[in-house]
Amino acid sequence: YPECDWDIGTTRSQVPRNYWQDVKNQRKFFDEYAAANNIKHPDDWSHVTYTKLAKDGAAPILRRYSSLISALEAIYPEHDWAACSVRSRMPYHHWDSLENQRKFFDEITKENN
């Protein structure tokens, strides 16, 4: 039935092996999650936690990344993600970088002036 739009998420309880390796499939999941959860702008992801997203079916995708922000950066590379705008743990050693520390304090300064 080639005329049917077969959505793997609704027609199967399990996806094929390596399905989540493809960023297009990851993006499709995140786009559908965003639509179902009233996420219209990139900054709206700040209201979503890693734990909530994992419980809602994104665990296989999130396991591929060190944090929610890392996943969002890979899935939506066209957006300039500000590390402090999304609620997540930073990747290991993130704060060891003076550049990351500088960006963080520059953002706080910009927000409060």
Side-chain angles (χ1 to χ4, degrees):
Y1 299 95
E3 67 278 2
C4 294
D5 182 24
W6 296 98
D7 180 7
I8 198 160
T10 58
T11 58
R12 294 182 64 156
S13 60
Q14 251 186 318
V15 295
R17 172 177 240 128
N18 301 324
Y19 180 80
W20 295 121
Q21 284 183 353
D22 188 340
V23 176
K24 287 184 234 163
N25 295 332
Q26 296 173 19
R27 185 172 185 130
K28 183 177 180 195
F29 178 90
F30 272 65
D31 287 347
E32 290 172 359
Y33 184 89
N37 290 278
N38 202 31
I39 298 170
K40 296 181 177 162
H41 303 285
D43 289 340
D44 293 342
W45 286 101
S46 65
H47 305 292
V48 179
T49 64
Y50 182 99
T51 304
K52 170 84 169 108
L53 198 54
K55 283 181 183 175
D56 289 345
I61 298 169
L62 295 173
R63 278 195 292 266
R64 301 183 169 284
Y65 301 98
S66 60
S67 65
L68 176 55
I69 189 73
S70 298
L72 291 169
E73 287 172 339
I75 295 167
Y76 299 105
E78 69 279 5
H79 180 70
D80 183 22
W81 295 95
C84 58
S85 70
V86 176
R87 291 173 54 183
S88 71
R89 284 181 276 179
M90 292 297 112
Y92 194 65
H93 292 299
H94 177 83
W95 297 116
D96 292 349
S97 163
L98 289 176
E99 182 181 344
N100 290 336
Q101 293 174 29
R102 167 73 68 188
K103 280 198 276 191
F104 175 76
F105 285 110
D106 287 347
E107 283 294 318
I108 288 176
T109 302
K110 190 167 72 174
E111 288 174 9
N112 293 304
N113 283 332

